Amino acid sequence: DQQVKQNSPSLSVQEGRISILNCDYTNSMFDYFLWYKKYPAEGPTFLISISSIKDKNEDGRFTVFLNKSAKHLSLHIVPSQPGDSAVYFCAAKYSGGSNYKLTFGKGTLLTVNP
Amino acid sequence: DGGITQSPKYLFRKEGQNVTLSCEQNLNHDAMYWYRQDPGQGLRLIYYSQIVNDFQKGDIAEGYSVSREKKESFPLTVTSAQKNPTAFYLCASSILALADTQYFGPGTRLTVL
């Protein structure tokens, strides 16, 4: 049972426009969410995170929104640049107990066209 | 220059052979992790370790083994018992108190012929 879902395998946007990547989760115990960016044949790099006590976190061109009631989060990239083209993974965890496991979605391939 | 190194970048092995993937970090992180990525799939946790000489199974530990004799090193052995070993393997580490954010190495592509 997939607990973190990224239902769009791919997304294509024009340079300068907004990219919106979506992520849904089913486990209501998750209380911390992260986005990673991954280029082919490289390891993922941490992008931005959000705690469940917040509904928005912003870092430069990247903003993550969290809607707890809908169990939905989204990553906004504004403005999108060709260098943003990569696979974006959403990840979630439950901070309680001693389990440090991150649960990842399957990823969304973002292509930013010049 | 701190970071996580994985070697080699590409590895080829014959079916039935065990193979060990290296992961070293000089970030002084307490926790280390091994993930596997398959095409069109997210990252799946194989094993993780929070302290030296201790490790726990992740979601897909069958056919794999690990050791954590040093804080800096967390090698992964892919045994002949692993039915589909060909994959991209990623090692990660984190500060134990901030285990939310894991930092990844560049990965090793293992191909079993």
Side-chain angles (χ1 to χ4, degrees):
Chain A
D1 179 33
Q2 205 178 347
Q3 298 187 67
V4 177
K5 300 177 185 178
Q6 294 177 258
N7 292 319
S8 297
S10 63
L11 174 69
S12 183
V13 300
Q14 210 60 32
E15 181 178 5
R17 305 295 290 270
I18 184 172
S19 296
I20 300 176
L21 297 108
N22 293 303
C23 179
D24 297 293
Y25 61 96
T26 57
N27 189 339
S28 57
M29 299 294 286
F30 287 148
D31 58 4
Y32 198 84
F33 305 89
L34 305 90
W35 285 94
Y36 283 85
K37 174 180 177 180
K38 184 182 181 301
Y39 294 116
E42 292 184 13
T45 54
F46 169 71
L47 204 54
I48 193 169
S49 62
I50 188 167
S51 164
S52 61
I53 62 173
K54 292 181 150 186
D55 54 20
K56 176 183 174 182
N57 189 25
E58 195 170 352
D59 184 2
R61 296 186 297 115
F62 303 91
T63 303
V64 56
F65 295 92
L66 176 63
N67 182 334
K68 283 179 289 185
S69 60
K71 295 193 183 67
H72 176 82
L73 64 154
S74 61
L75 174 68
H76 293 212
I77 306 174
V78 182
S80 301
Q81 299 172 354
D84 295 330
S85 297
V87 176
Y88 288 78
F89 289 100
C90 171
K93 77 176 297 288
Y94 165 55
S95 300
S98 60
N99 187 349
Y100 294 94
K101 182 179 132 180
L102 285 177
T103 301
F104 285 84
K106 291 188 177 182
T108 296
L109 172 63
L110 173 65
T111 302
V112 180
N113 301 303
Chain B
D1 191 17
I4 303 173
T5 56
Q6 292 184 244
S7 60
K9 182 77 172 173
Y10 299 95
L11 191 55
F12 297 88
R13 278 293 182 270
K14 290 183 180 178
E15 194 172 347
Q17 288 182 335
N18 290 356
V19 60
T20 297
L21 281 60
S22 165
C23 177
E24 304 278 332
Q25 54 97 0
N26 60 4
L27 300 167
N28 200 31
H29 284 176
D30 304 291
M32 298 185 74
Y33 313 79
W34 273 105
Y35 291 88
R36 167 182 172 141
Q37 187 193 11
D38 295 283
Q41 298 291 321
L43 280 65
R44 292 184 291 167
L45 183 65
I46 304 172
Y47 267 99
Y48 65 103
S49 168
Q50 297 174 23
I51 56 171
V52 174
N53 293 322
D54 186 54
F55 46 83
Q56 286 79 40
K57 292 181 178 180
D59 296 321
I60 54 166
E62 185 176 347
Y64 299 98
S65 66
V66 293
S67 63
R68 187 86 186 276
E69 296 177 2
K70 297 186 300 181
K71 187 176 184 178
E72 303 79 19
S73 179
F74 191 41
L76 173 75
T77 298
V78 184
T79 75
S80 56
Q82 167 50 231
K83 291 181 171 45
N84 297 297
T86 294
F88 189 51
Y89 289 88
L90 288 157
C91 179
S93 69
S94 68
I95 300 171
L96 200 61
L98 296 173
D100 308 308
T101 304
Q102 296 176 14
Y103 297 90
F104 286 82
T108 292
R109 167 74 62 187
L110 172 65
T111 302
V112 176
L113 306 169

